[in-house]
Amino acid sequence: MPRDVRMRGFERRHDVDEVLRLLDARLAPLPAEEVPVDRAAGRVLARGVVSAVDVPGFDRSAMDGYALRGEETFGATTYAPRTFSLRGEARPGHPFDGAVGPGEAVRVMTGAPIPTGADAVCRAEVAREEDDGATVLILEPVSPRKNVGARGEDVRAGTALLDAGRRLRPQDAGLCASVGEGRPSVVRRPRVAVLVTGDELLPPGEAPSGARIVDSNSLVLAALARRDGAADVEVERLRDDRSLVRARLAAAAARADVVLVSGGSSVGTEDHAPTLVAELGELPVHGVAMRPSSPAGVGFVDGRPVFLVPGNPVSCLCAYEFFAGPAIRRLGGRPMDWPHRRVTLPARRKLVSQVGRVDYVRVRIVDGAVEPLAVAGASILSSTVRADGAVVIERDSEGIEEGGEVEVRLY
Amino acid sequence: MPRDVRMRGFERRHDVDEVLRLLDARLAPLPAEEVPVDRAAGRVLARGVVSAVDVPGFDRSAMDGYALRGEETFGATTYAPRTFSLRGEARPGHPFDGAVGPGEAVRVMTGAPIPTGADAVCRAEVAREEDDGATVLILEPVSPRKNVGARGEDVRAGTALLDAGRRLRPQDAGLCASVGEGRPSVVRRPRVAVLVTGDELLPPGEAPSGARIVDSNSLVLAALARRDGAADVEVERLRDDRSLVRARLAAAAARADVVLVSGGSSVGTEDHAPTLVAELGELPVHGVAMRPSSPAGVGFVDGRPVFLVPGNPVSCLCAYEFFAGPAIRRLGGRPMDWPHRRVTLPARRKLVSQVGRVDYVRVRIVDGAVEPLAVAGASILSSTVRADGAVVIERDSEGIEEGGEVEVRLY
C-alpha cells in the first residue's frame, strides 16, 4: 500500500455551532465544595445564600454622640439646652450595661449598640458635657429613631442574598461573611492537564536552537485556562511517541477535569492524538469548518472532555477560545460565552471570509477603526501580539465590507 | 476640659483630584524582578523585550509533503507526473541529514526544517510514492518558496517585540518564550498589609453574636487588592488599642509596600489611626470632599503609602476604589485608572449630588437605564451587592437629570 494513503483527510468538517451544542449538552458544572469565606471571592456559588440573621443584630448608633429618649430633647436650643444625666458609654463591641431612663443619656460611638430605653442619638457636635462628664447638655432637638441604624437595616434574617450560579464579587463575599456564612458552597474549579507533543519542542525558558523551537503553547493555554477559572494547570511536554502519548493521555484524563492536547491533532502519520482519543474513549468531533484551527478535535475519555488543539500557535489560541475555554468555564459554573470585553467599530478595510466556515481574524484598532493584520498565517504567533483583539466572522457571512460595523473581542 | 473637644472635626476637606495628584507625584512602580516566563502572563514588563533570534530559526515546511527544487516540478500533471528520487524524511525536530540534489526529494512534515538544496514543498495530496518509498511522483507543479515558511517569518532577530510597561497577555508571554526570553524583567507586585481595627469585630467565618459583628472589610479589601495585582495580602485584626495599633502599623509599613487601615479613621477619641500615621510619618490628607468616605486619609510611613479607610463597608469599598486601588496599580506598573468595564446609559431617575464634593452612587441597571439604589447609607453593605455598578459624580456637578447620560463603572 503506498505511503500516501496516510493523508486521509477529514471525513467532514463539523460546524462550530454544532460543536458548541455538543459541549453544552455534555458538560455540567462540577460538584460543589465548601471554601472558607475569605477565599470565596471570584468563586461561583453552588447554593444560594440566605441570611440566618439580622445584620446588624442590634440597633446601632450611626454617629458619635449621646443616646437618649428623643422626645425629651424637643425644644432644646443653644440658649436653652436640655440637661441629661450621663450614665456611661457604649462603644462598638462594648454595649452599655444597663438601661437609659428618663432624663438620662449614654455616650455612644458610631457603630455602638443603642442602650435599652434610648431611641435616638444626638450628635456630639450639638452637645456639651459638663460636671466632669456627669451631665451632658443637648443643644438641638433630635427625633426618635434619628441617627439610629435599626437592627436588620443591612440584612434581615431570611432574606435570599445571593443566588446559586453567581460569581462572587468582593462585596458579595464580604456580605457572606457579615451574615456568618463561613464556608459558602461553591462550584469546584476545574483541574486542567495540558499535554504538549512534539520532538522539536524545548521547554519555555530555553533558547531556540538548530531545528528546535520553544514550546509557547503550554504557556498560552495555561494562562488562558487560569483566566477562565482553572484551579491548577499541569503541563507535560511529550515526544511524538504514540505509546508514551497514549499512557500520558489516559493518566491525564484520570486525574484532570479537562485535557488539552497541543500538536499532532491533524491526520498525518505523526498525528497520534485523534486516534488515541478515539481508542481510549470517543472522538465525536475531528475537523471543524473554521479558520484557523480546522484540525481541532473534541473527544471524551473517561467522561472527561479532551480538546485536540493544533500546534500552530494561532490555531492553538483560536481552538482554545472557541472550544476549550467555554468548556472550562462551564465546568466551573461560569457562562460559556467569551469573557472578552467587546467594542463595535467600523472596518477600515474589508474583512474577507468564506461562506461555510467561521473565521477568526486578528485585528488592530487604529484611529477608532478596525483593520485585519496583513500577515496572519496560523504559524505567526507575533500576529496575535500585534493584534488588539479578534473578530469572529460567522459561517454564513462573506465577510465585512469596508466601513461596515464589526465587533472586536479585545485581547 | 470638657470631653466634647474630642470631636475636633476636619481642618479642611481635600479634593479627590488633589489626592490623586499627590499619589501620582509620590508613587512610582516598584523595582524590577525576573520571573520564569511560564509565570509571566499578567505581569507588567519593566524592560522591553527585543528578540535576539529569528523565529523560526530555519526555513520550515508549512505542509506535509515533499521538499524539492520547485522549478523541477514545472509541467507536472496527473498524467505526466515528474519522478523524484526520495532520499529520506524530515520531521519537526529531526532535520534531514544531507542535501537535496537535482531530481531528489525529501519527505517532510509540517514544521520540519527544509533540507539544504530544496526550495519548495509539494503537498502530499498531489504526490504519490512508488517503489516502496524509493521514488515519489509529483502530480502538480509547485513554485519555488511555495509552502515554505521562511526563517524569521514570525520574528526577526533585533525586532522590538514588547515595550516596557506592557501587561503581558497570554500570547505575549508565549512570544517571550518563543524568542528564548526565559526570565523577563517585570515590575515587582506590591505586598499589601490590611489592618482592621475594632473591638466589635469577629473574624470572617464566625457568626455575628450579641454586640459583635463580622469583619467583612478585610475580605473586600484583600479581594480588591488581588484584583489590582497585589502579590500577597496579609490581614491582621486588632483591638482598638492605641499602642497595639501603633506597633502593628509600624511593623506593617516596614514589611509591606502598601498599608490599608480599616476603621478608626475619623476624628473621634477611638480613632487612633490618623494621629498614629502622623506620629510615625506624615498624614498629608485627612478628610476628603466626597461621599461616602469623607473621613478617608492618605499618609506615608517609612515612605510607604498608608490609606485610612472608614469602617463603614460602603465607605471602605469607595475609599479603596478612589485611592488605594490606584496606588496599588501604580506600584505594580499598571494604569492608575479604575479597571472597571464601563457602560454609558440614560438615567431612569435623577442622580442627586452636591457641588463641591464627589459622589459615589451605587446604581442598578434596569431595562437599559440607570437607577440609584433607594437605600444607600454607607453602612449598608448589601446595597453594593444589589448594585450593578457605581456612578462617580464629579465635584462641580449638581447631579444628573432624569434621562441624562451616565457612565456606570460595572462591579
Side-chain angles (χ1 to χ4, degrees):
Chain A
M1 194 160 75
R3 280 289 304 248
D4 53 0
V5 296
R6 70 199 169 97
M7 303 299 172
R8 60 190 181 279
F10 290 95
E11 280 176 29
R12 70 179 185 95
R13 306 267 178 187
H14 298 257
D15 275 338
V16 167
D17 284 347
E18 177 195 343
V19 184
L20 292 175
R21 280 196 302 273
L22 172 78
L23 293 173
D24 187 37
R26 295 280 297 260
L27 301 178
L30 293 169
E33 64 181 2
E34 291 184 354
V35 291
V37 68
D38 60 359
R39 304 304 298 180
R43 302 296 298 267
V44 175
L45 280 180
R47 231 190 359 249
V49 174
V50 176
S51 181
V53 297
D54 286 329
V55 176
F58 47 86
D59 288 356
R60 68 184 167 191
S61 181
M63 291 284 170
D64 288 351
Y66 300 88
L68 37 65
R69 300 173 180 218
E71 63 173 21
E72 296 183 347
T73 66
F74 291 164
T77 67
T78 311
Y79 304 103
R82 293 281 186 275
T83 304
F84 289 76
S85 164
L86 189 50
R87 300 299 308 277
E89 186 174 77
R91 288 179 289 131
H94 301 283
F96 174 70
D97 187 19
V100 173
E104 294 178 345
V106 163
R107 190 189 301 126
V108 291
M109 292 173 51
T110 307
I114 300 290
T116 313
D119 63 10
V121 173
C122 172
R123 290 182 301 130
E125 290 85 340
V126 290
R128 196 169 66 234
E129 292 186 24
E130 292 203 336
D131 305 331
D132 224 11
T135 59
V136 60
L137 306 186
I138 301 298
L139 316 178
E140 238 183 35
V142 57
S143 334
R145 306 309 300 164
K146 184 74 179 174
N147 300 328
V148 172
R151 174 178 178 145
E153 68 164 355
D154 195 346
V155 177
R156 284 191 187 288
T159 308
L161 296 176
L162 299 161
D163 293 334
R166 182 179 181 115
R167 188 159 166 228
L168 295 175
R169 304 173 303 179
Q171 64 265 39
D172 300 339
L175 193 63
C176 288
S178 298
V179 302
E181 176 57 87
R183 294 183 66 82
S185 174
V186 298
V187 178
R188 183 162 70 68
R189 298 192 298 161
R191 292 182 296 259
V192 175
V194 178
L195 304 182
V196 179
T197 66
D199 290 355
E200 77 278 26
L201 297 177
L202 294 164
E206 296 202 15
S209 144
R212 302 192 72 184
I213 62 174
V214 179
D215 158 38
S216 58
N217 286 356
S218 66
L219 201 158
V220 173
L221 292 170
L224 291 169
R226 286 194 197 98
R227 175 197 75 189
D228 288 332
D232 46 46
V233 184
E234 277 181 30
V235 172
E236 285 187 272
R237 262 171 298 278
L238 305 174
R239 283 175 294 112
D240 280 318
D241 173 322
R242 194 170 198 280
S243 64
L244 173 70
V245 176
R246 188 182 208 279
R248 302 315 301 154
L249 175 57
R255 74 174 183 278
D257 300 300
V258 179
V259 181
L260 311 180
V261 185
S262 161
S265 76
S266 192
V267 292
T269 40
E270 298 293 310
D271 290 317
H272 306 304
T275 53
L276 287 173
V277 173
E279 267 176 49
L280 293 167
E282 48 169 331
L283 184 67
V285 174
H286 189 212
V288 184
M290 66 191 299
R291 181 175 173 169
S293 265
S294 66
V298 178
F300 297 87
V301 173
D302 285 348
R304 270 66 178 262
V306 178
F307 295 89
L308 305 182
V309 169
N312 262 332
V314 181
S315 303
C316 168
L317 176 64
C318 174
Y320 179 90
E321 293 288 24
F322 273 88
F323 308 121
I328 289 172
R329 292 190 294 273
R330 163 60 61 89
L331 292 174
R334 301 190 190 192
M336 290 182 85
D337 281 351
W338 292 35
H340 302 65
R341 211 175 277 215
R342 300 183 189 207
V343 292
T344 299
L345 293 169
R348 177 183 301 278
R349 297 213 319 270
K350 187 171 163 60
L351 274 70
V352 184
S353 181
Q354 194 177 295
V355 170
R357 74 169 187 226
V358 169
D359 271 78
Y360 173 83
V361 183
R362 283 139 285 157
V363 299
R364 291 180 62 199
I365 297 175
V366 180
D367 299 333
V370 176
E371 54 181 51
L373 286 174
V375 176
S379 58
I380 309 298
L381 179 57
S382 59
S383 67
T384 65
V385 170
R386 286 193 303 276
D388 296 308
V391 171
V392 172
I393 304 179
E394 296 302 337
R395 184 183 180 286
D396 297 326
S397 168
E398 290 181 340
I400 289 136
E401 292 300 320
E402 183 182 323
E405 296 264 284
V406 279
E407 187 187 60
V408 181
R409 301 168 192 218
L410 296 173
Y411 285 139
Chain B
M1 195 158 76
R3 281 288 305 248
D4 52 1
V5 299
R6 70 196 170 98
M7 304 297 172
R8 60 191 181 279
F10 290 96
E11 282 177 30
R12 71 180 186 93
R13 305 267 180 189
H14 297 258
D15 276 337
V16 168
D17 284 347
E18 177 195 341
V19 184
L20 292 175
R21 279 196 302 273
L22 173 77
L23 293 173
D24 187 37
R26 296 279 296 259
L27 301 178
L30 294 169
E33 64 181 1
E34 291 184 355
V35 290
V37 68
D38 59 0
R39 304 305 296 181
R43 301 297 298 268
V44 174
L45 280 180
R47 232 190 359 248
V49 174
V50 176
S51 181
V53 297
D54 287 329
V55 177
F58 47 86
D59 288 355
R60 66 185 169 192
S61 181
M63 293 282 170
D64 288 351
Y66 299 89
L68 39 63
R69 301 174 181 217
E71 64 173 20
E72 296 183 347
T73 66
F74 291 164
T77 68
T78 310
Y79 303 104
R82 294 281 185 276
T83 304
F84 288 78
S85 165
L86 189 51
R87 301 298 309 278
E89 186 173 76
R91 288 178 288 130
H94 301 282
F96 173 70
D97 187 20
V100 172
E104 294 179 345
V106 162
R107 189 189 301 125
V108 290
M109 292 175 48
T110 307
I114 300 290
T116 313
D119 63 10
V121 172
C122 173
R123 292 181 299 130
E125 290 84 341
V126 290
R128 195 167 67 235
E129 291 186 24
E130 293 203 332
D131 304 331
D132 224 11
T135 59
V136 59
L137 306 186
I138 301 299
L139 316 177
E140 238 183 33
V142 55
S143 335
R145 307 308 301 165
K146 185 76 181 169
N147 300 327
V148 172
R151 172 178 181 147
E153 68 166 354
D154 195 344
V155 176
R156 283 191 187 288
T159 307
L161 295 176
L162 299 161
D163 292 334
R166 182 177 181 116
R167 189 157 165 229
L168 295 174
R169 305 174 301 181
Q171 65 264 38
D172 299 339
L175 193 64
C176 287
S178 300
V179 303
E181 176 56 86
R183 295 184 66 83
S185 174
V186 297
V187 177
R188 183 163 71 68
R189 298 192 299 160
R191 293 181 295 259
V192 175
V194 178
L195 304 183
V196 179
T197 66
D199 290 354
E200 76 279 23
L201 298 177
L202 294 164
E206 296 201 14
S209 147
R212 303 192 71 184
I213 62 174
V214 180
D215 158 38
S216 59
N217 286 357
S218 67
L219 202 156
V220 174
L221 292 171
L224 291 170
R226 286 195 196 96
R227 176 199 74 188
D228 288 333
D232 46 48
V233 184
E234 277 181 31
V235 172
E236 284 187 274
R237 261 171 300 279
L238 305 174
R239 283 176 292 114
D240 280 320
D241 173 321
R242 192 168 200 281
S243 64
L244 174 69
V245 176
R246 187 181 210 279
R248 303 315 300 155
L249 176 57
R255 73 175 184 277
D257 300 300
V258 179
V259 181
L260 311 180
V261 184
S262 162
S265 76
S266 192
V267 291
T269 39
E270 297 292 310
D271 290 316
H272 306 305
T275 54
L276 288 173
V277 173
E279 267 176 49
L280 293 167
E282 47 169 333
L283 186 67
V285 174
H286 190 211
V288 184
M290 64 191 300
R291 181 175 174 170
S293 265
S294 66
V298 179
F300 297 88
V301 173
D302 285 348
R304 269 68 178 261
V306 178
F307 295 90
L308 304 183
V309 169
N312 262 333
V314 182
S315 303
C316 168
L317 177 64
C318 174
Y320 178 91
E321 293 289 26
F322 273 89
F323 308 122
I328 290 172
R329 293 190 294 274
R330 162 60 62 88
L331 291 175
R334 301 191 188 191
M336 289 181 86
D337 280 352
W338 294 34
H340 302 66
R341 213 175 277 215
R342 300 182 190 208
V343 292
T344 299
L345 293 169
R348 176 182 302 278
R349 296 213 319 271
K350 186 171 162 60
L351 275 70
V352 184
S353 180
Q354 193 177 296
V355 170
R357 74 170 187 226
V358 169
D359 271 79
Y360 173 83
V361 184
R362 284 138 285 156
V363 299
R364 292 182 62 201
I365 297 174
V366 180
D367 299 334
V370 176
E371 55 181 50
L373 287 174
V375 175
S379 58
I380 309 300
L381 180 57
S382 59
S383 67
T384 65
V385 169
R386 288 194 302 276
D388 296 309
V391 170
V392 173
I393 304 180
E394 296 302 337
R395 184 183 180 288
D396 297 328
S397 168
E398 289 180 343
I400 289 136
E401 292 301 320
E402 184 182 324
E405 298 262 285
V406 278
E407 187 188 60
V408 180
R409 300 167 193 218
L410 297 173
Y411 285 140

